[in-house]
Amino acid sequence: GIVDLKTFRSMLDGTWEVTNDLAETVAENLNEKRLLDPASIAMVCVTHIPTNSGIINPVEDIGQIVAEYNSQHKHNKHSKLPSILYVVDACQSVGQIPVNVQRMHAHAFTATGRKYLRGPRGTGFLYVPKSIVNDLVPSHVDHASTPLAWVDSEPTLEATTKQSTLQYNYREGAQRFELWESNISTKLGLGAAIRYALDDDKDGTVSSAPGGLQSIEGRIKLLSDYTTRHLRTMKRVELFHDNYELEKDGNNDIGIPCGIITFTVKGMDAALVKDKIMEDFANGDAYHIENYPSQKGRFEVSIVPSTSTPIDSKNTNVGTLVRVSLSYFNTMEEIDLFLLKLEHVLSP
């Protein structure tokens, strides 16, 4: 969903009044004026680009607010960690827009390889600053990330049931988050995908996306803007969170700012809309219309069920959405064909 900076700042200022629907959940953290106690906040988690909309949340501004708070407050004097940890989920943003963890002031930054980086499924990465990495305890460990330092050579039956018979140390740095079992080939594939996106081909082993991330971002925004403006003209089509962009910029011509565009069609199930649109894309038929060549497998239309984003779906009262995922390799011809197909679906 959308992060409102004014509301977020009031949470850390101690001036945010909790509404009735949240009061029971956070009751122990409220004062007599029903204001949230910022000292009760341990972590702020933000999704950079949600899976169900094209919103780009202001993660750098949010990080700056958290950093300012941490510089003035210390919840636990015995801990080396900041009072509030800041975690950014960049699953949908890495690979389509430039990101900078330093400007975000992120304490953890996560991303997947299989989406806009176009890397292998099952890959991803976690960034944690060196200044705090050795003070964090991993949720999962094995003998690689947490090797045993000592084992009782002759444990008794009673002793084997006690943790004191084992002494272990977490590895320093990123290795404490890495497990022994991993797929080396997919890691290499992820590396190649990152280098491709960054236009970093110094040794000539991979081809590159021309211009790197700046070029990728510009291309995707161009395609998204074109698609958004045409979808707004279609009756029965409602773009999700479209008002956010229009109100923010005050410009009716502004498009969704990234490659994720979601919408509903009045009176039609989202899954049915998706299936009808994708029929010809999937089989390469593409209506056999001149100037609309077959683009089999290159254009992605899917659905986002409300269960993928339960809180935002509840707050906005929106169910399953149709989702268009645009990438830099898509063409205007493909978008025109998609729009033509959608118009056909909407026709009586």
Side-chain angles (χ1 to χ4, degrees):
I2 303 167
V3 176
D4 180 77
L5 289 176
K6 183 178 179 180
T7 300
F8 178 68
R9 187 178 289 278
S10 71
M11 291 179 175
L12 297 194
D13 287 344
T15 59
W16 185 64
E17 183 177 355
V18 178
T19 56
N20 290 331
D21 57 337
L22 289 174
E24 184 177 349
T25 305
V26 296
E28 62 183 36
N29 300 317
L30 301 180
N31 60 24
E32 64 277 4
K33 295 183 179 180
R34 295 169 58 86
L35 301 179
L36 179 68
D37 180 5
S40 67
I41 302 173
M43 182 180 294
V44 171
C45 302
V46 177
T47 301
H48 196 183
I49 297 178
T51 188
N52 67 335
S53 70
I55 292 168
I56 301 180
N57 273 314
V59 290
E60 294 183 7
D61 294 329
I62 296 168
Q64 183 62 42
I65 295 172
V66 173
E68 290 172 0
Y69 178 89
N70 284 334
S71 68
Q72 301 171 21
H73 302 83
K74 187 65 177 177
H75 294 175
N76 185 349
K77 295 181 180 180
H78 302 290
S79 174
K80 297 179 182 179
L81 294 173
S83 294
I84 297 178
L85 292 173
Y86 179 43
V87 180
V88 177
D89 169 11
C91 183
Q92 306 286 351
S93 55
V94 167
Q96 70 159 318
I97 62 175
V99 295
N100 188 310
V101 291
Q102 277 76 35
R103 289 204 296 263
M104 292 180 194
H105 300 280
H107 300 118
F109 177 93
T110 64
T112 185
R114 71 176 177 84
K115 296 198 174 183
Y116 276 92
L117 277 177
R118 301 172 62 210
R121 180 177 286 273
T123 61
F125 63 86
L126 164 69
Y127 163 83
V128 175
K130 290 182 179 179
S131 59
I132 67 169
V133 65
N134 292 329
D135 297 309
L136 296 176
V137 177
S139 60
H140 294 72
V141 298
D142 65 6
H143 66 289
S145 63
T146 313
L148 295 178
W150 174 83
V151 180
D152 193 338
S153 58
E154 295 182 359
T156 63
L157 179 62
E158 180 182 1
T160 56
T161 64
K162 299 178 180 179
Q163 282 187 323
S164 59
T165 61
L166 301 178
Q167 292 185 2
Y168 55 88
N169 297 306
Y170 299 112
R171 291 193 185 277
E172 293 190 355
Q175 286 186 318
R176 67 175 47 205
F177 296 104
E178 297 178 356
L179 301 180
W180 176 258
E181 291 295 338
S182 64
N183 189 320
I184 303 301
S185 62
T186 56
K187 284 184 178 181
L188 293 172
L190 175 62
I194 292 172
R195 290 162 56 198
Y196 186 96
L198 294 176
D199 195 14
D200 180 14
D201 186 28
K202 293 182 176 62
D203 60 5
T205 57
V206 296
S207 57
S208 300
L213 278 174
Q214 296 289 347
S215 177
I216 288 174
E217 179 187 33
R219 173 66 180 173
I220 291 177
K221 282 186 175 181
L222 175 68
L223 297 175
S224 178
D225 182 73
Y226 180 82
T227 307
T228 301
R229 287 188 288 106
H230 280 79
L231 287 174
R232 286 188 184 129
T233 66
M234 294 186 178
K235 295 180 179 180
R236 297 172 59 196
V237 172
E238 291 189 358
L239 287 166
F240 186 52
H241 278 317
D242 192 35
N243 289 338
Y244 169 73
E245 290 304 320
L246 296 179
E247 292 172 4
K248 184 180 72 172
D249 292 277
N251 182 353
N252 289 333
D253 290 329
I254 194 72
I256 299 297
C258 72
I260 297 176
I261 302 172
T262 53
F263 62 91
T264 57
V265 174
K266 289 183 180 179
M268 289 194 69
D269 179 74
L272 179 62
V273 175
K274 185 266 294 185
D275 289 343
K276 286 185 173 294
I277 292 173
M278 290 304 295
E279 280 177 0
D280 290 342
F281 279 115
N283 61 29
D285 188 14
Y287 276 152
H288 297 296
I289 298 177
E290 188 177 0
N291 297 326
Y292 294 96
S294 168
Q295 302 289 350
K296 184 175 181 179
R298 284 172 50 94
F299 199 87
E300 180 64 27
V301 180
S302 58
I303 61 171
V304 183
S306 58
T307 52
S308 293
T309 53
I311 297 176
D312 191 47
S313 297
K314 179 182 178 181
N315 291 340
T316 56
N317 196 30
V318 171
T320 302
L321 297 160
V322 182
R323 167 174 152 161
V324 175
S325 303
L326 298 171
S327 193
Y328 59 88
F329 55 73
N330 285 126
T331 65
M332 292 296 186
E333 289 77 16
E334 290 170 339
I335 295 173
D336 286 339
L337 176 57
F338 156 71
L339 295 169
L340 184 67
K341 290 278 291 180
L342 180 56
E343 287 179 347
H344 180 73
V345 171
L346 296 174
S347 62

